[in-house]
Amino acid sequence: AYCAETVSLHGLTTLTEEDFIDSMSVSRDASIKAALARLDDVVGLAGVKAFIRSLYAQLKTEAERRDAGISASGNSGTLHMIFSGNPGTGKTTVARIVAELLRAMGLLRKGHLVEADRASLVAGYSGQTALKTRQVVEQAMGGILFIDEAYALVSEDGKDSFGKEALDTLIKMVEDRRTDFVVILAGYPVEMNRLVSTNPGVRSRFPTEVLFDDYSQAELMHIAQQMLQADGFTLSSKASERLVEILAKVNAAGGREQGNGRAVRNILEMARRAMAVRLQNGVCEGRQRSKHELSTLEPSDFS
């Protein structure tokens, strides 16, 4: 940094307390706070947030115990977990935050997220599935492998040899390289329970299940407002009332039919398209449309 005054010999040769501050530690603390702040910004999911914060507390305590020289058995538990919930409940979003948090804590080298599903892991010919699965797992090394609809890997009748090969390969790599990456299996609650109950290897290596509840009507509206604000849109008072009515029906559907955050995104996308058609078909009389006109959704935009 530029200094307007002449630096003395004492200043050039004397170490002060500030010189011993671990900049890496300061940066790491800031990254942890940023990840937890992102978690707080997620709408709803009180139970999920409580679990992530308890996991952080546990991992931080274990690190402090190691720094204090407290011996342990070497088995600090597994970070592999199951995310169960209906579509649009924020499972992928939270997985990204977990990856960011674990990287900030020094538990993952990269902290990236690799998304996969059955098509990503299973090949069409015998012997190729194991190779394909290993390639995907290698991409996730240093980060998190997020497998959506993981229950689709294995059929209920147990006759799907390709899917079983993918699951067996995954479990072996989880065991062999347990400290190199984290696996999150995600899917519908009922199907994920079946996967765990019929595959002992999954049950023992993925002991933690995190349940993502459906959003309430108020939470769906909050999500909609966040999405609109991020894209520079607002609702007229009548449009807001209309959207509340629509989201009440979405919430009433319940279960997989609700759609949650995904349904909100689709509703807003259709409304924005309807708004564009309304504006382009309307009379502008040679004048430039105002910012209000270009950013305000009206009730007619919600079919």
Side-chain angles (χ1 to χ4, degrees):
Y2 173 75
C3 182
E5 300 178 356
T6 302
V7 181
S8 66
L9 177 61
H10 179 270
L12 289 171
T13 58
T14 304
L15 293 171
T16 66
E17 183 179 354
E18 293 180 350
D19 297 320
F20 292 91
I21 294 178
D22 185 353
S23 60
M24 182 68 73
S25 177
V26 172
S27 176
R28 178 171 293 178
D29 289 343
S31 297
I32 290 173
K33 289 180 180 179
L36 294 176
R38 282 191 59 198
L39 181 67
D40 290 337
D41 288 340
V42 174
V43 175
L45 304 180
V48 175
K49 292 176 180 178
F51 166 76
I52 301 301
R53 286 194 169 274
S54 69
L55 177 64
Y56 164 65
Q58 178 186 359
L59 295 173
K60 185 177 181 182
T61 300
E62 290 176 356
E64 291 175 353
R65 284 169 57 86
R66 287 193 299 270
D67 292 343
I70 301 175
S71 61
S73 62
N75 182 20
S76 59
T78 177
L79 291 174
H80 307 301
M81 62 192 83
I82 293 173
F83 282 5
S84 63
N86 289 318
T89 47
K91 296 185 292 294
T92 307
T93 297
V94 172
R96 290 196 179 96
I97 294 174
V98 171
E100 181 183 340
L101 179 62
L102 295 180
R103 181 196 59 77
M105 297 184 71
L107 297 173
L108 289 177
R109 290 182 288 109
K110 299 179 181 178
H112 64 301
L113 185 76
V114 174
E115 298 181 52
D117 54 16
R118 177 185 169 89
S120 307
L121 303 173
V122 177
Y125 300 96
S126 178
Q128 291 185 339
T129 291
L131 176 61
K132 190 173 183 180
T133 300
R134 281 195 293 269
Q135 289 175 337
V136 173
V137 173
E138 287 294 340
Q139 294 173 14
M141 285 299 157
I144 287 182
L145 175 59
F146 181 86
I147 304 179
D148 198 14
E149 298 183 353
Y151 53 82
L153 286 175
V154 183
S155 61
E156 292 189 44
D157 57 17
K159 296 180 179 179
D160 181 8
S161 59
F162 292 151
K164 186 177 184 303
E165 183 182 2
L167 186 60
D168 290 345
T169 302
L170 174 66
I171 289 177
K172 186 177 188 308
M173 295 193 75
V174 164
E175 187 66 27
D176 293 345
R177 306 183 67 174
R178 68 185 71 177
T179 61
D180 289 342
F181 73 123
V182 171
V183 178
I184 296 177
L185 304 180
Y188 300 133
V190 174
E191 284 81 349
M192 293 306 295
N193 287 337
R194 174 180 58 79
L195 175 67
V196 172
S197 63
T198 57
N199 294 273
V202 175
R203 186 188 302 112
S204 61
R205 291 167 180 82
F206 296 83
T208 303
E209 180 177 5
V210 185
L211 179 61
F212 287 67
D213 292 323
D214 291 331
Y215 291 112
S216 67
Q217 180 182 342
E219 289 169 344
L220 292 174
M221 190 63 183
H222 191 179
I223 291 171
Q225 291 168 339
Q226 283 188 343
M227 290 180 177
L228 289 170
Q229 183 178 9
D231 292 333
F233 287 90
T234 59
L235 296 167
S236 69
S237 59
K238 292 295 184 180
S240 181
E241 294 174 2
R242 175 62 180 142
L243 182 55
V244 168
E245 294 174 356
I246 294 173
L247 295 181
K249 294 179 181 179
V250 171
N251 180 250
R256 301 178 187 180
E257 301 303 320
Q258 178 173 337
N260 291 287
R262 195 174 301 170
V264 174
R265 185 181 299 109
N266 292 338
I267 290 168
L268 296 182
E269 180 60 32
M270 288 188 291
R272 289 167 57 179
R273 190 174 298 117
M275 170 190 172
V277 172
R278 170 173 58 81
L279 290 176
Q280 297 308 315
N281 289 342
V283 178
C284 195
E285 298 179 350
R287 66 177 178 82
Q288 187 175 10
R289 290 187 176 86
S290 67
K291 288 185 178 181
H292 177 77
E293 291 174 304
L294 292 170
S295 61
T296 305
L297 292 168
E298 300 293 345
S300 61
D301 299 325
F302 294 93
S303 57

